[in-house]
Amino acid sequence: MDVQALRARADELMAQFERMRSGVGDLQQQLKAVQATVTSEDGLVTVTVGPRGQVTKVEFDSRIYRRPNSKELSATVTETIHRATAKAMADVERLMRPYVPDSQFQAYIDHDLDGIFRQLDSDLPGEDKR
């Protein structure tokens, strides 16, 4: 076991921990405030979602009654929700990026605990890696 490498890794983890600890309050407030509003290409549907992509508001322009095509409206609502969710998730990722190491970032975003633990295991020195 390389003591210098182990110490460097421990220092890196401590620095990461200190960054997280010092900014976690602000980060939590910023994450709670994430909100994305997107309007459909045709301007008939506006969707607002929160930080987890949950729909918080759907608005319809009164012009939708001129085109009573429920399948088209359904597709427009669904597509607009997807765009708003992608926008909110991009904001969450931007806020989280400084607090999560690049090597683990995608696993955190995907809520992939196995991936996170595999990455942590691969970072540890030793012969019995999983």
Side-chain angles (χ1 to χ4, degrees):
M1 185 170 9
D2 181 3
V3 175
Q4 263 187 308
L6 192 56
R7 180 171 298 282
R9 180 66 179 144
D11 290 345
E12 179 184 328
L13 290 172
M14 283 304 295
Q16 177 185 343
F17 173 74
E18 286 300 322
R19 264 196 325 273
M20 289 175 71
R21 191 171 64 123
S22 67
V24 76
D26 288 340
L27 175 62
Q28 190 172 21
Q29 292 306 313
Q30 290 173 336
L31 289 172
K32 285 180 182 178
V34 168
Q35 177 174 287
T37 300
V38 172
T39 300
S40 63
E41 306 263 335
D42 60 10
L44 298 178
V45 178
T46 300
V47 173
T48 301
V49 300
R52 289 182 219 106
Q54 74 277 22
V55 176
T56 58
K57 187 176 186 181
V58 177
E59 298 176 75
F60 297 103
D61 186 283
S62 61
R63 294 175 292 150
I64 65 164
Y65 299 110
R66 295 181 198 151
R67 294 186 351 207
N69 181 337
S70 63
K71 287 185 180 184
E72 185 179 314
L73 178 59
S74 176
T76 299
V77 169
T78 301
E79 187 269 337
T80 306
I81 288 171
H82 287 203
R83 287 181 39 228
T85 300
K87 185 177 178 187
M89 294 311 295
D91 288 346
V92 167
E93 287 180 26
R94 178 184 50 77
L95 290 169
M96 292 293 295
R97 178 82 52 196
Y99 296 94
V100 180
D102 287 340
S103 61
Q104 298 170 14
F105 191 77
Q106 194 57 50
Y108 276 99
I109 293 301
D110 294 340
H111 306 288
D112 175 14
L113 293 178
D114 287 335
I116 293 167
F117 289 128
R118 274 193 307 276
Q119 181 62 44
L120 290 171
D121 284 346
S122 72
D123 288 348
L124 291 173
E127 297 182 33
D128 56 309
K129 293 184 181 176
R130 295 175 198 178

